[in-house]
Amino acid sequence: MNRIVYLDHAASTRPYPEVIEALQPFFLEHFGNPSSFHVFGTVPKKAIEQARAEMADLINAKPEEILFTASGTEANNLAVKGVAMAMEKKGKHIITSAIEHYGVHHSCKMMEKSDFEITYLPVDEYGMVDPDEVGRAIRKDTILVSVMLANHEVGTIQPIRKIAEITREKKITLHADARMAVGHIPVDVEALGVDLLTISGLHFYGPKGSGALFIRKGTRIQPLIHGGVQEQGRRAGTEDVPAIVGLGKAAVMAKERIPGEMKRIAALRDKLEKGLVGQIDELKVNGHPEKRLPGFLNVCVRYVEGEGMIMMLVSKGIMAASGSACSSKALKASHVLTAMGVDHATAQGSLLFSLGRETTEEDIDYVIAEMPPIIKRLRMMSPIYPGNRS
Amino acid sequence: MQHSDYSEKVMDHFNHPRNMGEIQNPDGASQVGNPTCGDMMQIHIKVEDGIIREAKFKTFGCVAAIATSSISTEMIIGKTLEEAEKLTNDAVAQALDGLPPHKRHCSVLAAEAIQAAIQNYREHALGGAK
Ligand code: FES
C-alpha cells in the first residue's frame, strides 16, 4: 500500500504545523504557572489572554465570553449540567434533539436522574430540527434548549438562528454544540443568537485537549470543576497553556482560510458524491442536500455492512468511518441515522467520508476508482443483494 | 494499517473468503439472522453418504461474521453430519485465533447457520423431498 487518503476529519484533524510551532515553547520554556506573580507566570498568562481574544474573534464574541476547556465534550457537559444546576429553581425541563453528540446526550440523560425532564426533538429525513417543534415543546419550566449547530455524522446544519428567535422571546438559555462547524464555516454568535456555544480544537486543526465554551455575558451557569479561580472562577485547575495557545492559533488560521477552504472542500465533496452515486446503484446520500457542512459525505450502501467496507478501504489506504451496528462497540446502529428514519439494514451500510484541508482532487479520484470494486465484492458475498439472484 | 482488534487469521479469511457463494440445488440450506445486530448468514451444503462434500456461505455482516462463516465451511467439509453438527462457536473462534469479546456473537451465528442447514437437510431427507 502506498497511497494514504485520510477522510476521517470528523474523528480528528492533523494540526497546522503553525499550531504546533506556536504551542511548543509552552512546554519547556514558558512552563510557569499563569497564576504566578513572578516573571514565569507573565508570559503564559499573556499567551492565554491572546488566545482568548483570537478564539473570540473567530466567532464574533468578546474575549471574556470564552471559557477554555479540555475538550468539546467537557464544554458540552458544562453547558448542559452547568445551566441545569444554576437554573433548577426556575424549572427542570430541557429540550434537546435526538441527534446530539454523546456529550450533550448523556449529560441530558444524567440530569434525568436528578429529576429533570428532557424532550428529545425528532428530526426529519435530512436530520433537520423543525424550529416550530422547539416552540411547541417549550413549557413554563423549560430552562435550556440545546441543539447542535451541525451534526457530527451527516453534517446537516440546523436552523439555530430561527430557534434563537423563539428562545430569546421566552428568555430561555440556548446552547449550540458547534464542535463540527467552528473553523469550517463562518460561525457568528451574534448572528446566531446563542447563549452558549461549544468549540473543539481537534476538529479544526488545533491540538487535542483543547476546547472552549462561549458563554454570553449574563448567562447563568454553575462550574463543574471547583478549586482555584482560574477562568473567572468558572473552571478550576491550572490552565493547559500549550493547548490553549494552540487553539488560539488554530482560530487565527481558520479565520484566514474558511472562505477559500469552504468552497474548495465542498467542490471536492460534491465530486465524490457524484462519482459514487454515478457508479454504485442503491446508494443513499444522507444529510441535507444544501444545508450541510462542506466536508461531509455520509452514504448508505445497501446490502453491505460498514465494518467490512471500512476494512477493505483501509487495505487500499483509504480511512473513513461507519455508523453501522457491527462497527460500534455497543452493536447499535448510529442514533443519528435511526432518528432520521433510516431502517436498520440500510444503516448497516453507512459510510462517512469527512474531507479536510489536506484532501486533494487526486485523493477523491482515487476513492471514486477504488470504491466500486469493493462494493461489488461485498455485495457478491451478501445473501440479501437482489443483484445476485439470477 | 489493519485494525489491531482482529487476528491475522480473521483478516485472512475476510480478505480471501473460502467457499463463498451458493450451491445450485443444495441438499441443505439455511438462512439465519443475528438478533444482536440484525445481520444475515446463509449456508448451503451438499451431502453424500452422510458426509458433507461441499459447503458454501454468504454473509451480510461484519468482518468477524464473514471470517467465521468462511472458516466454518472449511471446518465442516469432509465431516460427517454428526461431527459437523457438533461444531461450536468456541471452536470456530479458536480456529481464528480468537475474536474480540464484542464479536463473539458473530461466531454463534456461524454455528447456528450450520446446524440449521443440517437440520434442513434432514427434514428434506426424512420428508422424502430428495
Ligand atoms: S455480524 Fe454484526 S457484529 Fe458481527
Side-chain angles (χ1 to χ4, degrees):
Chain A
M1 182 205 327
N2 16 48
R3 202 184 181 95
I4 298 285
V5 178
Y6 182 79
L7 294 178
D8 201 10
H9 289 82
S12 182
T13 59
R14 190 197 305 276
Y16 284 112
E18 290 90 335
V19 164
I20 302 305
E21 237 164 75
L23 65 78
Q24 205 76 50
F26 292 88
F27 283 110
L28 279 177
E29 211 175 312
H30 309 302
F31 67 90
N33 191 319
S35 300
S36 298
F37 282 113
H38 50 70
V39 59
F40 280 84
T42 326
V43 176
K45 172 101 195 112
K46 270 202 182 138
I48 289 176
E49 292 323 311
Q50 188 191 326
R52 203 184 302 282
E54 290 164 344
M55 193 59 248
D57 186 47
L58 180 64
I59 60 167
N60 193 24
K62 299 184 193 75
E64 60 272 23
E65 292 174 318
I66 299 293
L67 176 119
F68 290 117
T69 63
S71 63
T73 299
E74 185 194 328
N76 279 341
N77 271 259
L78 177 58
V80 173
K81 296 177 191 168
V83 170
M85 287 192 286
M87 303 292 286
E88 65 181 333
K89 291 247 159 58
K90 194 191 160 219
K92 292 184 131 190
H93 180 235
I94 295 171
I95 299 169
T96 187
S97 86
I99 59 164
E100 295 301 310
H101 192 266
Y102 288 130
V104 165
H105 186 78
H106 287 306
S107 292
C108 286
K109 288 271 171 213
M110 179 70 207
M111 295 321 292
E112 275 180 345
K113 288 189 186 147
S114 308
D115 298 324
F116 276 78
E117 259 183 78
I118 318 286
T119 300
Y120 299 93
L121 295 174
V123 292
D124 67 12
E125 58 182 310
Y126 301 118
M128 191 75 88
V129 171
D130 178 357
D132 292 342
E133 292 261 11
V134 178
R136 280 194 287 276
I138 288 177
R139 315 189 313 209
K140 266 215 178 69
D141 59 344
T142 307
I143 50 145
L144 174 69
V145 174
S146 178
V147 174
M148 66 197 343
L149 178 54
N151 182 264
H152 54 293
E153 283 184 32
V154 295
T156 299
I157 299 171
Q158 303 295 335
I160 295 298
R161 199 196 176 125
K162 287 233 170 73
I163 295 172
E165 284 169 18
I166 299 164
T167 53
R168 283 207 157 165
E169 200 200 299
K170 306 261 182 186
K171 299 203 167 45
I172 295 166
T173 304
L174 175 62
H175 167 240
D177 174 3
R179 48 167 34 208
M180 288 296 156
V182 169
H184 298 283
I185 57 171
V187 174
D188 178 330
V189 290
E190 287 312 317
L192 288 172
V194 291
D195 303 302
L196 300 159
L197 185 117
T198 291
I199 295 156
S200 161
L202 85 99
H203 289 105
F204 71 106
Y205 317 116
K208 285 175 196 63
S210 71
L213 183 65
F214 156 76
I215 306 175
R216 184 179 295 282
K217 217 171 162 217
T219 307
R220 293 187 53 204
I221 192 159
Q222 281 269 327
L224 298 185
I225 301 172
H226 300 92
V229 291
Q230 293 88 355
E231 299 296 290
Q232 304 171 42
R234 291 183 298 194
R235 185 188 189 262
T238 301
E239 300 88 339
D240 185 345
V241 186
I244 291 171
V245 168
L247 183 63
K249 188 69 191 179
V252 173
M253 305 287 294
K255 191 166 181 184
E256 272 168 34
R257 285 166 172 74
I258 285 174
E261 278 294 88
M262 250 176 80
K263 283 201 203 93
R264 188 187 73 85
I265 290 174
L268 290 178
R269 188 270 318 273
D270 292 345
K271 182 174 184 183
L272 180 59
E273 179 173 330
K274 263 212 193 99
L276 297 185
V277 170
Q279 293 191 77
I280 299 166
D281 60 324
E282 301 214 52
L283 180 117
K284 177 179 166 8
V285 178
N286 301 307
H288 198 279
E290 288 112 41
K291 297 194 177 79
R292 187 166 35 143
L293 289 175
F296 274 62
L297 179 62
N298 186 312
V299 297
C300 286
V301 187
R302 289 209 170 86
Y303 314 117
V304 295
E305 190 281 317
E307 190 191 66
M309 284 194 282
I310 296 289
M311 286 300 208
M312 288 198 173
L313 285 168
V314 167
S315 69
K316 296 288 175 193
I318 301 167
M319 314 298 157
S322 171
S324 80
C326 296
S327 66
S328 79
K329 289 248 148 109
L331 298 171
K332 273 211 187 99
S334 141
H335 70 291
V336 176
L337 295 177
T338 310
M340 287 163 60
V342 178
D343 65 273
H344 187 91
T346 306
Q348 278 292 57
S350 117
L351 207 52
L352 168 58
F353 297 107
S354 46
L355 291 62
R357 68 179 174 92
E358 291 171 306
T359 311
T360 64
E361 181 128 28
E362 290 80 60
D363 289 342
I364 297 305
D365 290 336
Y366 178 69
V367 177
I368 294 173
E370 294 295 337
M371 267 287 277
I374 289 176
I375 302 309
K376 201 173 159 202
R377 263 195 78 183
L378 285 168
R379 278 183 172 169
M380 253 169 52
M381 284 192 227
S382 173
I384 60 167
Y385 181 52
N388 284 341
R389 289 179 206 130
S390 41
Chain B
M1 275 299 150
Q2 300 290 22
H3 210 282
S4 53
D5 270 5
Y6 287 124
S7 69
E8 265 172 45
K9 267 249 175 82
V10 171
M11 290 315 296
D12 178 46
H13 276 269
F14 171 70
N15 287 322
H16 312 282
R18 336 283 204 258
N19 307 309
M20 197 279 293
E22 294 178 341
I23 298 175
Q24 295 293 319
N25 305 316
D27 296 328
S30 70
Q31 201 172 67
V32 299
N34 186 336
T36 313
C37 51
D39 293 338
M40 203 90 91
M41 202 177 280
Q42 169 186 300
I43 298 275
H44 286 176
I45 52 171
K46 201 103 195 141
V47 182
E48 250 171 58
D49 307 325
I51 290 172
I52 296 175
R53 295 290 177 201
E54 220 187 322
K56 294 255 184 206
F57 84 89
K58 270 193 177 178
T59 294
F60 167 52
C62 73
V63 171
I66 289 172
T68 50
S69 5
S70 164
I71 201 163
S72 38
T73 55
E74 267 192 339
M75 291 169 84
I76 59 165
I77 291 174
K79 296 267 161 66
T80 64
L81 292 174
E82 289 70 31
E83 287 167 337
E85 232 170 357
K86 288 197 203 108
L87 185 73
T88 63
N89 63 305
D90 278 338
V92 173
Q94 228 169 52
L96 286 168
D97 293 339
L99 284 170
H102 65 289
K103 293 289 183 182
R104 301 285 297 192
H105 71 277
C106 315
S107 60
V108 176
L109 190 62
E112 274 175 13
I114 285 170
Q115 277 150 17
I118 294 173
Q119 172 94 17
N120 174 264
Y121 164 76
R122 291 215 168 104
E123 275 160 19
H124 272 228
L126 287 179
K130 264 211 61 97

